[in-house]
Amino acid sequence: MPGLGGAHEAEWISYDGYVQEAVLWFGVDEVWTPRPDPVRQATLLPADVSLTGRGLPHPAVRAAGRYLYVPDLAVVHARLLPELAQDLAAGPLEGGGTLLTSDELRPTPFAAAYEITDVLPFTGAATRAAEQGVRIEADAVGDGLTPQDPQAAMVFVPGPADRPTLLTATPAPS
């Protein structure tokens, strides 16, 4: 893959959800020939679990299901969303970037799972309605998508710029 310098293997390692390092291995075979497509892996610590690329095609984009998954950044950087999506019976959320969605809950260490409670058009009125009775974390629509309080509601704003959607969700049971 361009940008990996002909590495044989590439691994992204995160600790508690933060990518700490990327490791590239060269010369894994006896001939030491560069590979056009290295084996990709995401490893999560302290859980000590890994997800390895299987060369899957990108799954079809879909509308919001019952559950929303926020992949660990090691999975995102390793470009293993297709593998995670297959494991979760999920697909990329329409307009949701790296967010995945599914109608069934499958526990995984590779993503935080949320149960979607509301899907509303993103308007000032929808935002105010969602805020009534629901605690919304200040960073919920930024990069830090994990709330400090595990019972806090989350707000996601996926969708194209001309018709964004407001999703409210709570942490799914583990």
Side-chain angles (χ1 to χ4, degrees):
M1 176 112 227
L4 294 179
H8 286 121
E9 296 180 19
E11 179 180 19
W12 283 260
I13 301 169
S14 75
Y15 187 87
D16 282 338
Y18 296 96
V19 174
Q20 300 295 315
E21 62 184 47
V23 181
L24 302 177
W25 283 275
F26 297 88
V28 176
D29 61 12
E30 292 180 19
V31 181
W32 198 17
T33 52
R35 294 175 70 172
D37 191 19
V39 174
R40 292 173 171 270
Q41 185 169 298
T43 298
L44 280 54
L45 298 175
D48 196 24
V49 294
S50 295
L51 180 65
T52 301
R54 301 186 293 268
L56 300 176
H58 289 282
V61 172
R62 57 175 289 184
R66 182 173 176 189
Y67 296 97
L68 185 70
Y69 294 92
V70 180
D72 186 275
L73 289 176
V75 173
V76 173
H77 289 298
R79 298 182 187 162
L80 297 177
L81 289 176
E83 285 77 3
L84 182 58
Q86 183 182 62
D87 294 349
L88 297 173
L93 177 64
E94 180 180 22
T98 61
L99 299 175
L100 300 174
T101 187
S102 176
D103 290 322
E104 63 180 272
L105 178 61
R106 291 192 181 177
T108 180
F110 299 104
Y114 297 89
E115 186 170 7
I116 297 173
T117 55
D118 286 302
V119 179
L120 305 164
F122 185 67
T123 64
T127 304
R128 284 188 299 281
E131 288 173 352
Q132 293 176 359
V134 176
R135 180 173 157 225
I136 298 173
E137 294 294 318
D139 66 348
V141 293
D143 288 336
L145 293 174
T146 305
Q148 296 297 318
D149 176 358
Q151 299 307 312
M154 297 293 293
V155 174
F156 300 88
V157 187
D162 62 335
R163 54 181 176 85
T165 304
L166 180 86
L167 300 179
T168 60
T170 58
S174 42

